[in-house]
Each structure stands twice: as structure tokens, then as C-alpha cells.
Amino acid sequence: SQQGEEDPQALSIQEGENATMNCSYKTSINNLQWYRQNSGRGLVHLILIRSNEREKHSGRLRVTLDTSKKSSSLLITASRAADTASYFCATDARGAQKLVFGQGTRLTINP
Amino acid sequence: DVKVTQSSRYLVKRTGEKVFLECVQDMDHENMFWYRQDPGLGLRLIYFSYDVKMKEKGDIPEGYSVSREKKERFSLILESASTNQTSMYLCASSLRGLGEETQYFGPGTRLLVL
């Protein structure tokens, strides 16, 4: 079953603009992670936010978590062509070692 | 840096063949995972393993089996490949811990079953 679902499924913006992606999930979590996947490659971890955190930053990335709404957002500021990729949120089931991934948002940055 | 390698980037097999996908990680991680990725369906967990000789079914184990004889190696086996197993297969590993562990992914194997 899909725990995390990203929105939108696809996003196309101009270089330099900010990109926002959203993730919703269904059950209680310990943490939520965001991953990036370049075309035809494996996933790369970007950032993790714990259930007791509301916001986290890493470089041009800003992640928020609202556990009352069971949702998270990933903001990429000042986008670059190299940010073109698919972005996935992943949630853990409490007590489990495994993650459940959403379907991803395909982000295209136009030069 | 953690490195997860997969034996093949591209693989073409015929229906009914037995297929082995190999995954090796070099960071002494306890956990290893096999996913398949299909358009519109995201990543789906096939099997995972918490330790040597240990395996757990994921969400879609049917038609697959796994083997973990050594800590660093996790193999996915398609006993009799079918066309609906054409997909991108991703292996990942992580430390066993308190649930905050990052998963490290291999580059993927794109399998085509004819």
C-alpha cells in the first residue's frame, strides 16, 4: 500500500524559480525522508525530518512536516537545471526498519 | 562513501528463464532491500533482509525469492521470468537502528523479459 503520495505528479518551472512538492501519508510515523532520483539511476537521500520536528533546512532545501495533517513539503529554492529529477518522500512504519515510498514528483527545470 | 553495486545495468531474458540479480554493499549494513519501480506505481518493496540468512516478504513477493548467504550480498531470484516482471529493479541497504536510517541505493537493473 502507498503510504506517501506526492503532489503534483509533475512540475515544470524556469531556472531560478522555487519548486514546492508535497507529500501526504496515512499512518503515524517516526520520520519522513526525501530522496531524489536522476533519470535511470538509483535514489539518493536528501533530508530526513523527525516526527517531533516541524521544519528542517539543508542548503537550498527546506522541508516542513505537519503531523496533524499528515503532510510534508519539500521546497527547493533558486532552482538549477541540475535539480531536474524525480523526488520521492518515504515514511517509516513505527517499529519497522523498512520505508514506504510515494510515487514521486517529476521536476523539470527549464533553462 | 557507501557503495551499493548491482551486477547488471541492463538485462534481457526470455520468458521462463531463471534470473539472478545480485546486489553488494560495502558498508557492513545489516538491512538490505529489493524494490521494483514501474511508471505510475513508484517503488514497491519485494523482499528485505535484516541479517544473514534472514528474509522478510515485502508488498509484492510473488514470483520472486531472495538469498542472503553473506552480509554484504543480497540476491533477487526470478524463478521463472514472466513478461510482467519487466521492470527497473533497485537494491538498497541501511544500518539497523532506531528507524532513522538512510537507505543507500544501487544504480538499478533494467530488466526486459521477452
Side-chain angles (χ1 to χ4, degrees), chain A residues 2 4-6 9 87-89 101-105, chain B residues 40-43:
Chain A
Q2 290 291 337
E5 294 189 5
E6 288 90 344
Q9 291 188 350
Y87 292 81
F88 294 85
C89 67
F101 289 82
Q103 296 180 15
T105 292
Chain B
L41 297 177
L43 273 74

Side-chain angles (χ1 to χ4, degrees), chain B residues 46-63:
Chain B
I46 305 171
Y47 267 99
F48 58 104
S49 169
Y50 293 153
D51 206 344
V52 176
K53 296 191 186 295
M54 178 272 172
K55 60 185 178 183
E56 292 281 345
K57 292 180 180 179
D59 298 319
I60 51 163
E62 296 78 19

Side-chain angles (χ1 to χ4, degrees), chain A residues 1-80:
Chain A
S1 60
Q2 290 291 337
Q3 167 76 315
E5 294 189 5
E6 288 90 344
D7 169 58
Q9 291 188 350
L11 179 62
S12 180
I13 61 173
Q14 295 300 119
E15 196 167 17
E17 294 180 341
N18 296 341
T20 300
M21 289 157 273
N22 302 297
C23 169
S24 60
Y25 58 93
K26 296 175 182 174
T27 63
S28 295
I29 60 172
N30 286 320
N31 62 72
L32 185 144
Q33 303 182 37
W34 284 91
Y35 288 77
R36 184 188 74 223
Q37 183 182 34
N38 290 90
S39 182
R41 309 294 298 185
L43 279 70
V44 175
H45 179 259
L46 293 176
I47 195 166
L48 178 151
I49 186 165
R50 298 184 180 88
S51 59
N52 62 353
E53 297 176 313
R54 291 297 167 258
E55 188 171 313
K56 201 162 184 179
H57 296 254
S58 176
R60 294 184 296 112
L61 305 180
R62 175 181 164 238
V63 171
T64 61
L65 180 64
D66 186 336
T67 52
S68 66
K69 294 181 179 178
K70 291 187 170 59
S71 68
S72 173
S73 67
L74 171 66
L75 169 67
I76 303 174
T77 61
S79 63
R80 305 168 182 169

Side-chain angles (χ1 to χ4, degrees), chain B residues 83-98:
Chain B
T83 54
N84 63 11
Q85 292 179 310
T86 291
S87 187
M88 173 73 138
Y89 289 88
L90 293 165
C91 174
S93 71
S94 72
L95 288 168
R96 183 193 301 157
L98 301 177

